[in-house]
């Protein structure tokens, strides 16, 4: 299963924020488990930032609240002020039930804080894909 988007999305500083449209749903039958192998790629840039600013990423199942691995809460997806394409892979085995995977970002404005103009980040031309294994 896969989704793509070519329209840009801008993120403000602070807090985990959903990437609109970057959701994938998959039910796992009772009495079984499935390995979810997820890939995400996108153009990414930090706008008006300093060298200590960066965009973090995570993939979360919004039904169970479980985050796919690797996850330490601080995985940086991009930090450059110029557009570049970045990619990551995540995995997790899920048990029975419905699972709704969501890509989330967290823009960090490290000190000294740049506030005029405000720091934002842009995600553009993305692909979100999950392959399910038994």
């Amino acid at each position: 299963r896969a989704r793509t988007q070519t329209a840009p999305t801008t993120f403000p500083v602070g807090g985990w924020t959903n990437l609109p449209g970057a959701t994938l749903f998959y039910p796992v039958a009772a009495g079984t488990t499935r390995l979810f192998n997820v890939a995400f790629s996108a153009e990414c840039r930090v706008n008006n930032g300093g060298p200590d600013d960066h965009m973090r990423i995570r993939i979360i199942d919004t039904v169970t609240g479980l985050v796919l691995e690797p996850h330490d809460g601080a995985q940086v997806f991009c930090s450059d002020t110029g557009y570049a394409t970045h990619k990551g892979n995540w995995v997790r085995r899920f048990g029975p039930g419905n699972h709704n995977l969501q890509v989330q970002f967290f823009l960090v404005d490290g000190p000294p804080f740049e506030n005029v103009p405000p720091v934002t980040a842009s995600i553009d031309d993305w692909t979100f894909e999950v392959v399910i294994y038994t």
Side-chain angles (χ1 to χ4, degrees):
R1 297 184 181 191
R3 293 197 184 247
T4 65
Q5 176 63 260
T6 58
T9 301
T10 300
F11 291 85
V13 169
W16 288 107
T17 304
N18 292 345
L19 175 61
T23 60
L24 293 170
F25 174 81
Y26 191 87
V28 175
T32 65
T33 65
R34 295 290 182 262
L35 178 67
F36 287 56
N37 185 348
V38 173
F40 180 81
S41 67
E43 288 181 332
C44 182
R45 74 179 280 187
V46 175
N47 307 300
N48 308 313
D52 55 350
D53 302 336
H54 58 275
M55 182 79 126
R56 295 178 182 171
I57 188 172
R58 72 179 181 184
I59 313 296
I60 188 169
D61 175 12
T62 61
V63 176
T64 64
L66 296 173
V67 178
L68 281 73
E69 298 292 339
H71 174 69
D72 63 3
Q75 184 177 10
V76 175
F77 190 67
C78 74
S79 59
D80 197 3
T81 57
Y83 271 115
T85 299
H86 301 268
K87 181 192 181 301
N89 290 80
W90 296 263
V91 297
R92 186 166 199 120
R93 184 164 290 279
F94 285 106
N98 294 324
H99 300 281
N100 189 61
L101 304 181
Q102 172 70 59
V103 178
Q104 295 182 329
F105 289 99
F106 188 132
L107 177 58
V108 175
D109 182 6
F113 303 112
E114 297 79 24
N115 55 16
V116 180
V119 176
T120 63
S122 299
I123 295 293
D124 193 14
D125 298 330
W126 56 262
T127 299
F128 182 35
E129 178 183 9
V130 63
V131 177
I132 309 296
Y133 298 95
T134 56

